[in-house]
Amino acid sequence: MPQGRSSCGTDRVISDIKSGLEFLRKLGLVHDDINPRNIMLRGDGHAVIIDFDSCTAVGGKSRGGTPGWSRNPRIAEFDNDEYGLELVIKYMHGEYDGQDFEAFGF
């Protein structure tokens, strides 16, 4: 784990992101752009998901997400958010740098 990042804080952020995605899922929505720039920390240390301009109903046309954090999906599916979350978790543990642009043809 990168220096200065506590396991407790990381666990809380991951739990908060998962809770936010579960809430969207219950509404039948896909955020479709989960990446570190779309996660903010409140003053109390809890994480919130922001930037809902890519959010769409499951099964709808995807807007593609952010290069390096998405598979460049064509359809809005819950798996798109799960993939982004997996990369965010790797990023938080210093295992990913957000530079995998292959899905976008870069």
Side-chain angles (χ1 to χ4, degrees):
M1 180 170 300
Q3 190 174 14
R5 295 185 188 171
S6 72
S7 175
C8 180
T10 300
D11 292 345
R12 177 190 295 181
V13 168
I14 292 167
S15 176
D16 291 344
I17 298 167
K18 286 180 178 180
S19 293
L21 291 176
E22 182 61 31
F23 180 77
L24 289 174
R25 182 176 287 219
K26 287 179 182 177
L27 296 174
L29 298 172
V30 177
H31 182 277
D32 230 13
D33 196 15
I34 296 297
N35 70 74
R37 290 186 180 144
N38 290 338
I39 309 297
M40 299 294 290
L41 294 179
R42 298 187 323 203
D44 63 3
H46 283 278
V48 292
I49 300 170
I50 64 166
D51 193 7
F52 288 87
D53 63 337
S54 293
C55 188
T56 191
V58 68
K61 183 178 179 191
S62 175
R63 295 187 178 107
T66 299
W69 298 96
S70 168
R71 294 186 201 142
N72 194 19
R74 307 244 188 275
I75 306 276
E77 299 175 308
F78 297 129
D79 286 347
N80 303 352
D81 289 346
E82 294 301 319
Y83 180 77
L85 175 60
E86 288 173 19
L87 294 181
V88 167
I89 292 169
K90 287 181 179 182
Y91 177 79
M92 292 176 70
H93 289 106
E95 300 167 1
Y96 181 67
D97 63 4
Q99 301 299 309
D100 182 5
F101 301 123
E102 188 174 316
F104 284 81
F106 295 147

